Amino acid sequence: MTRVFILFGCIYDVTMIDKSFGNTTICFELSIGSSGYLNPQQLANHEFASSITRLYPRIPIDNNAQHFRLPIDLQKPVIFTKYTFFDYSYRMTLTNRLKNAADYMFKLIREFEFNINSKASDDILMQQYKKIEEYLHTLPCGCGQQKTNATNFGITGGVHATLSEVLNFSMPSLRMNSLDEKRRKKIFHNLESLKGWITKDIDFDETKRFEIVKVLYKIARALRQLAFDVQPSLPDIFLWMICDSKRVAYSRLSPEDLLYSTCEGEKGLYNGRIQTLFLQKPRISYKPIK
């Protein structure tokens, strides 16, 4: 079964363009797989496409003779493209659940470490540790933590299944292959091991407190490692910088990091968020990878 994915973004600012790119006009192209990617002839003819911005002249940066920027202060370019591919979104949502869980774990651990450095009482430390332990045992989606505000018109989002519940029940409707099933079982067994690791008697003696923090960081890093999937769900996303009809620099993004979902836990880490991208020059084929 195929699905249509719509990829779009807005460029807020382009700055620190090195003068070595020459005094030419510049545009940007957003592509995923073959969608949005223009061939050299189309670039040379300046063909219109929704995935490419118009041409911009570069202008100097004040008090900086080595770098330039683009004049897009008042009109921010929006670029988009559509891509039809097999629907493997369940792989990306599982990856995002683990990535978001790891990020939230790191946040809780930093708060716990801050209280240790602040010489908090054992009761406060135990309360925070139990909060981390409870979170790891349930791994909720995070929708229940949303507060009503003006953007959602006072409506609180629903609460979806916890990660443990998702992994406990296989869903044949998703048409998971053998690797998907093995990955599901591997994640489930590893999570059970992590739960056993964190569920133990804790001694908040001053000489052992930072050992507890080290163990918690190991658990959070293990969660992040479980998010890796050997089967790509979608091709990588590229943002190309084009000078004089030639691709001179790019930024590469993982598709699951931009995936939208109504469930907060399944949403990509960068979805709907402003990102600062540092572009790099494409590697020449005869030069080794550094």
Side-chain angles (χ1 to χ4, degrees), residues 113-180:
E113 188 176 14
F114 175 79
N115 281 333
I116 289 178
N117 293 328
S118 302
K119 307 296 183 182
S121 65
D122 288 358
D123 291 338
I124 294 176
L125 294 178
M126 179 58 74
Q127 185 179 359
Q128 281 200 309
Y129 187 87
K130 289 297 181 183
K131 182 180 178 181
I132 297 173
E133 181 183 348
E134 182 183 356
Y135 178 78
L136 184 63
H137 273 267
T138 56
L139 293 177
C141 65
C143 294
Q145 297 171 358
Q146 285 183 302
K147 296 181 179 179
T148 57
N149 52 41
T151 58
N152 58 19
F153 303 101
I155 301 173
T156 305
V159 180
H160 303 87
T162 65
L163 185 55
S164 299
E165 292 170 344
V166 171
L167 295 171
N168 261 319
F169 301 100
S170 60
M171 290 168 280
S173 60
L174 296 179
R175 298 179 182 177
M176 298 169 67
N177 60 28
S178 59
L179 280 177
D180 291 322

Side-chain angles (χ1 to χ4, degrees), residues 227-245:
F228 176 73
D229 187 8
V230 295
Q231 300 182 95
S233 306
L234 284 173
D236 283 350
I237 295 164
F238 284 86
L239 179 67
W240 284 99
M241 175 176 158
I242 301 172
C243 296
D244 196 20
S245 303

Side-chain angles (χ1 to χ4, degrees), residues 5 70 80 92 94 105 252 263 271 279-280 282:
F5 295 88
L70 298 188
F80 64 93
M92 294 188 287
L94 180 55
M105 278 284 291
R252 186 173 186 169
C263 175
N271 177 266
L279 276 62
Q280 57 182 319

Side-chain angles (χ1 to χ4, degrees), residues 9-210:
C10 176
I11 300 177
Y12 272 48
D13 191 20
V14 181
T15 186
M16 300 304 290
I17 302 172
D18 195 273
K19 68 176 184 179
S20 63
F21 288 113
N23 190 19
T24 59
T25 53
I26 294 173
C27 64
F28 286 86
E29 177 195 70
L30 183 67
S31 65
I32 174 171
S34 59
S35 180
Y37 188 88
L38 275 64
N39 60 44
Q41 184 178 357
Q42 290 173 316
L43 289 177
N45 295 334
H46 302 293
E47 292 189 15
F48 171 78
S50 62
S51 62
I52 194 168
T53 68
R54 68 178 181 87
L55 297 173
Y56 291 95
R58 65 175 196 172
I59 59 176
I61 298 176
D62 295 340
N63 303 320
N64 190 334
Q66 301 297 320
H67 298 92
F68 296 82
R69 68 181 186 90
L70 298 188
I72 58 173
D73 301 324
L74 299 178
Q75 291 184 339
K76 311 295 184 186
V78 175
I79 43 183
F80 64 93
T81 186
K82 292 194 296 184
Y83 186 63
T84 303
F85 200 68
F86 294 103
D87 188 6
Y88 298 128
S89 55
Y90 59 87
R91 294 177 186 166
M92 294 188 287
T93 55
L94 180 55
T95 295
N96 287 339
R97 288 292 293 262
L98 290 164
K99 284 185 177 181
N100 285 310
D103 268 20
Y104 191 69
M105 278 284 291
F106 278 115
K107 178 184 176 182
L108 293 177
I109 296 167
R110 284 192 293 268
E111 291 176 0
F112 180 72
E113 188 176 14
F114 175 79
N115 281 333
I116 289 178
N117 293 328
S118 302
K119 307 296 183 182
S121 65
D122 288 358
D123 291 338
I124 294 176
L125 294 178
M126 179 58 74
Q127 185 179 359
Q128 281 200 309
Y129 187 87
K130 289 297 181 183
K131 182 180 178 181
I132 297 173
E133 181 183 348
E134 182 183 356
Y135 178 78
L136 184 63
H137 273 267
T138 56
L139 293 177
C141 65
C143 294
Q145 297 171 358
Q146 285 183 302
K147 296 181 179 179
T148 57
N149 52 41
T151 58
N152 58 19
F153 303 101
I155 301 173
T156 305
V159 180
H160 303 87
T162 65
L163 185 55
S164 299
E165 292 170 344
V166 171
L167 295 171
N168 261 319
F169 301 100
S170 60
M171 290 168 280
S173 60
L174 296 179
R175 298 179 182 177
M176 298 169 67
N177 60 28
S178 59
L179 280 177
D180 291 322
E181 187 62 27
K182 288 179 180 178
R183 184 193 182 207
R184 183 186 69 84
K185 291 180 180 179
K186 176 187 174 183
I187 293 173
F188 178 77
H189 290 308
N190 277 275
L191 286 179
E192 291 301 310
S193 299
L194 294 178
K195 291 175 186 178
W197 197 1
I198 200 173
T199 306
K200 57 183 179 180
D201 294 332
I202 298 299
D203 183 7
F204 288 111
D205 185 84
E206 289 192 7
T207 59
K208 298 180 180 179
R209 290 182 177 183
F210 287 101

